[in-house]
Amino acid sequence: MDGRYGADEVVIRRLEDQAGLMRSSEREKVEAAMDRFEKRFPQLFFAVCTSRAEGRSDVRQFGFWLLNRAAFKDVPLDRPNECGILLTIDPDAKSAGITWGYALDAFLTAEDSFLFLSRAHAYWVEGRYSEGVIRGLKQLSRVLAKRCKQAKSDPERFERRVAPPSAARQVAERIRAGHRKVVKEEVTP
Amino acid sequence: MRALLVWLSVVNLAISAELALSLPGWSEESRQVVEGEEWLPGAGLLTGDKEAAPVDSTEVQPPTTAEMTEQVAANEIPEKFLDDYFAKRPEGFLVDPQELLSPSARRDREAFLNYHSADSPIDFHVYVFGAEQAIPGGVREEEISERLFSQGKPSLILFYYLGAPERAEIFLSPSLSDAVSDAERRRILQSSTLAAMERSDSIAQLEAFCVQTSIRIYWIEKAAGLVEGGSAVSVAKTLPTSKDEGSARIEAVRKMFDAFWFEWGAIISVSLSGIVISLTFWWTSRRRASYRFPEFDVAPRLGGSHAAGVGAVIGFGSTTQSPSAQHSGVPDYF
């Protein structure tokens, strides 16, 4: 990825509308929604980047690279990129994707991100990008609030999702990797 | 011997029958009339007797106008009591100059009416007459209510005929008569009369009549908001003036609602306020709630120093396809 996009740190804002999809008033509304989100979730932040890939790659790869390399200048230092959720929109490819930091690995799933994008889909089809972002952000807030409550009542359940594999499991995985061709045992009558 | 006795008995019976059953015969004069066809036998049975029936001397003759006038005049309230009844506005609420009520009954009624007056912005005056008595023609009831009760508190005036509640009449002082419909006044009279007719004793009838009328007055007060205080006369002017039956029904429903609201309004208001405050508090607290996630150690993946959580990618190029149809999964290289 670094070879494709560069290995240097990229300084951007939370709302980086490089593609110019939103008017000034719309950007203000989106930033207000981001503020509300950050107030509700003091550890997290939400960022949006609209960019024209121009044949370089798809939004999934770009979002993954950007969240690892970006330095958000309007995000407090106590909210590192591990706590970020990045929405990337490519208006040329008509596609959008979600990427999130390690701190959210236990709490967010691909289904949650699809739900977010589904809520915004109807707006984006009509070119109403800011409204789609705000609507999706509301949905994401609802899901995260629910997950937070569940995590407080049963933290082990979420910790297991991101726990490193145990030594025995690692051994078993190595054995499986070295013996992919499993010989079936003959069953005697 | 036996044969001789039988012969004698038969002869004796024959002679007796001849003497006892001798048939009537025509007289010579009648025979001549019949033969001359001047008289038809049995004609009296067929044509009836045309002679007039004798006048029954015991039948009652209807009274003449003069007699009726005398009878009414005899039932009229004695003239010596007219001034006590109708000369001025009564000082008490029970008007019984003829002392038709016993002292104890009068004391009870006066106590009741005084209590009503103390508790109600509408006074309740009761005029007591005899069951058969009639108000003289020179006295006009409507004129009395206007002349005697146009000043002071609004009043309901009851003309009650002791022992004959069905003859009772209700009048309203001018400040109320403009506001209370005739239908409402009739309803008061009907319900009070029915309540009185359930009793057999004349004093108990009067008591039931007064109680029911007082209740109906209370309903009027509640409907008009007079219970909470304020100027009785001014509020009475706000009472409905509907005349037709439809308006009267609407008015009745409104009064029922007012009565219900008066009884349960405070509880309902407090309950609703509590619910609204609770919902507002819940909504506000929910909006202001902050969520902090527990922190777990996550091993870096895919060479990403900060993030490796790659979610869904969705396309929005087609307006005809659903989001699911434009959803692309995570590629293999992730």
Side-chain angles (χ1 to χ4, degrees), chain A residues 167-179:
Chain A
R169 188 180 168 189
Q170 288 177 353
V171 171
E173 285 179 348
R174 278 201 299 273
I175 292 172
R176 281 199 203 101
H179 303 278

Side-chain angles (χ1 to χ4, degrees), chain A residues 5 28 36 48 57 80 91 113 119 133 137 150-151 163 169 186:
Chain A
Y5 301 110
E28 288 176 3
R36 287 196 296 272
V48 179
S57 178
S113 64
R119 288 284 185 272
V133 171
L137 199 49
Q150 292 172 340
R169 188 180 168 189
E186 293 182 3

Side-chain angles (χ1 to χ4, degrees), chain B residues 16-27 31:
Chain B
S16 301
E18 185 69 19
L19 292 174
L21 300 175
S22 58
L23 293 173
W26 288 96
S27 64
R31 184 185 300 276

Side-chain angles (χ1 to χ4, degrees), chain B residues 172-190:
Chain B
L172 299 170
S173 62
S175 57
L176 278 180
S177 60
D178 291 341
V180 178
S181 65
D182 290 341
E184 178 62 27
R185 193 167 59 174
R186 279 197 301 274
R187 275 194 292 275
I188 295 173
L189 191 58
Q190 287 171 358

Side-chain angles (χ1 to χ4, degrees), chain A residues 40 43 60 68 96 100 102 105, chain B residues 291 293 301 304 306 309 314 329:
Chain A
R40 201 170 183 194
Q43 300 161 292
R60 181 179 287 115
N68 281 292
W100 59 82
Y102 288 126
D105 265 357
Chain B
Y291 299 90
F293 289 91
R301 306 189 305 277
H306 302 294
I314 197 171

